[in-house]
Amino acid sequence: MRAAMVVLGLVLGGLALEVALRLAGANPVPLSKRYLIAVGHQPRLDYHCYPTNPHGDFAPAPDVSHGAWRLIDFAKREYPLTALRQTPWVVEYEYSQQGTRDRAYGGPPAAGVLRIGGLGASFAFGEGVPLDKSLFRKMESRLGPNCEVVNAAWPGMKTAEMVALLPQLIQAYGCRRVLVVFTPNDILLTDSLQQRMNVINDLVNTRDLALQAHLAGKWYGHSWVLTSLMLSRELGAVAGQTKQWYLDCYDPRQNADNLERMRESIAALAAQRDCPVALVLYPLLIDLESGYPLTPIHELVGRMAREAGLPTLDLLDVFRGRRTSDLWVYATDHHPNSQAHALAAEATVSWLRTDVPGFLEIEDNGR
């Protein structure tokens, strides 16, 4: 009888908690960022919007009472502007007429100034942090007034696309050096690998809508209480599958053609004689405390670069042993925050000065 009463009490308590959570509008799935777009603004202007401001990198949302605005999520689902109160902290992205998240560059640099082109995907782009706290801007600040670093990175950019952009950086921007930032998700994929890519957690973004759909298919998915209890376990399982997926992307048995394309791209970067290129490997921010799971990827790409003669810095040595969550933009957005970018910039500038002879040298003719 006592056991029955305990069970009954737990069931009734659980039901009461379930009702209370639903009435309060709580949701066991953490809210991811949303996107606020200034419609028709020239040059392009938009914002990534977050529920809180854990590291002080974000600013209050702009005034949306004037002009035309759209508020959407990762799946392009539209929200009323009043929903901005759920994500009232933002990062601004303003783009130049040249299409970069940077100031516009008109013509070659001034005499005595070295202009460095910066290429990469979202980590180099500075997704999740203000422009002045991003990697290339931090580097520019450390290098001093005689160096300019162009932020020509773009989320999702692959290594082959970076090679294709080199002529534009040299001719249109007047860059005489290029720094390429590589992350493990920069490789091209086969159709099979693309289909396997988990949309819930790519070790960078946890997407709330996809996670909700995933959990709804579980036996406990209609209970907010049980979903809350099981959420950590589910996210851990998804992360484990995603780590293996990354390793499979660099397995010659599963992605041989694209690995060869990557090798060719690295060789093309190394072959630039008039505009020397250096490579920085930026780790994904996962399990840095111990047992970083993507070390084999860093070793493979580093070996390709060494064979091609491309100067390479692996930032894993800078981040290893740090508490991973301290470096995240947000709990559901694992792009590097301002602290991570500052560490990366300091290490990269120091490496260029000491280990890459001539890279930062400013020639008499302005080159």
Side-chain angles (χ1 to χ4, degrees):
M1 178 64 71
R2 287 178 183 156
M5 292 298 291
V6 169
V7 171
L8 179 61
L10 290 173
V11 170
L12 292 176
L15 289 174
L17 181 57
E18 185 81 28
V19 171
L21 287 172
R22 291 180 180 272
L23 289 176
N27 193 326
V29 177
L31 184 65
S32 298
K33 64 189 173 189
R34 290 175 179 164
Y35 307 88
L36 180 66
I37 301 168
V39 179
H41 190 280
Q42 293 297 329
R44 178 182 161 187
L45 175 67
D46 54 48
Y47 299 83
H48 290 182
C49 312
Y50 299 84
T52 61
N53 186 17
H55 304 292
D57 288 341
F58 306 151
D63 180 8
V64 294
S65 61
H66 304 286
W69 300 86
R70 292 180 64 210
L71 183 63
I72 61 175
D73 57 29
F74 183 80
K76 303 295 190 294
R77 189 169 68 173
E78 195 104 14
Y79 293 84
L81 292 179
T82 53
L84 190 58
R85 67 172 67 99
Q86 297 176 319
T87 53
W89 295 96
V90 305
V91 174
E92 180 182 276
Y93 301 84
E94 185 170 13
Y95 302 90
S96 71
Q97 296 289 353
Q98 295 164 305
T100 61
R101 190 193 182 197
D102 203 341
R103 59 186 177 270
Y105 293 87
V113 174
L114 174 66
R115 185 171 293 168
I116 302 170
L119 290 170
S122 59
F123 279 39
F125 174 82
E127 185 165 337
V129 296
L131 179 61
D132 64 341
K133 296 182 178 181
S134 62
L135 172 62
F136 294 139
R137 193 59 83 243
K138 283 288 187 182
M139 286 183 57
E140 187 176 81
S141 176
R142 288 186 173 277
L143 288 168
N146 291 329
C147 282
E148 298 174 341
V149 185
V150 179
N151 184 358
W154 195 261
M157 185 180 289
K158 305 302 181 186
T159 312
E161 296 173 281
M162 300 176 201
V163 174
L165 276 173
L166 286 176
Q168 181 180 352
L169 285 176
I170 296 169
Q171 297 164 15
Y173 287 87
C175 295
R176 294 296 174 253
R177 308 287 188 274
V178 170
L179 185 73
V180 171
V181 178
F182 178 92
T183 51
N185 52 13
D186 287 351
I187 192 169
L188 295 170
L189 305 175
T190 63
D191 290 342
S192 175
L193 287 167
Q194 185 69 49
Q195 291 168 6
R196 280 179 53 199
M197 186 171 68
N198 197 300
V199 297
I200 296 171
N201 183 5
D202 58 3
L203 304 185
V204 180
N205 291 296
T206 301
R207 299 164 186 145
D208 51 344
L209 292 181
L211 183 55
Q212 288 172 2
H214 173 76
L215 293 171
K218 303 294 182 178
W219 62 268
Y220 53 80
H222 297 292
S223 167
W224 287 9
V225 173
L226 293 177
T227 297
S228 297
L229 293 173
M230 298 295 289
L231 183 60
S232 178
R233 175 180 175 274
E234 286 294 333
L235 285 175
V238 169
Q241 296 167 11
T242 311
K243 293 170 192 175
Q244 185 58 54
W245 174 83
Y246 270 101
L247 295 174
D248 291 345
C249 290
Y250 288 82
D251 185 343
R253 295 166 297 181
Q254 303 190 52
N255 204 15
D257 289 345
N258 288 323
L259 279 170
E260 183 57 32
R261 291 188 181 96
M262 175 169 288
R263 190 184 303 276
E264 292 170 356
S265 295
I266 289 175
L269 293 173
Q272 299 296 317
R273 295 291 175 252
D274 294 334
C275 183
V277 178
L279 180 69
V280 171
L281 306 182
Y282 208 131
L284 298 187
L285 303 182
I286 178 75
D287 297 341
L288 295 172
E289 294 86 348
S290 61
Y292 177 71
L294 307 183
T295 299
I297 296 174
H298 288 242
E299 292 173 346
L300 175 60
V301 176
R303 187 163 60 250
M304 288 182 181
R306 287 192 300 273
E307 291 172 354
L310 186 64
T312 303
L313 170 68
D314 193 342
L315 291 176
L316 179 57
D317 296 331
V318 175
F319 292 121
R320 198 193 304 272
R322 297 181 181 272
R323 191 164 78 169
T324 306
S325 59
D326 288 347
L327 304 175
W328 290 341
V329 162
Y330 194 72
T332 55
D333 184 346
H334 299 174
H335 285 95
N337 61 21
S338 60
Q339 179 185 348
H341 281 299
L343 290 168
E346 180 179 5
T348 302
V349 169
S350 177
W351 170 70
L352 290 174
R353 282 175 171 160
T354 59
D355 295 342
V356 191
F359 192 90
L360 298 177
E361 182 179 343
I362 303 173
E363 301 172 12
D364 292 339
N365 62 357
R367 289 173 57 89

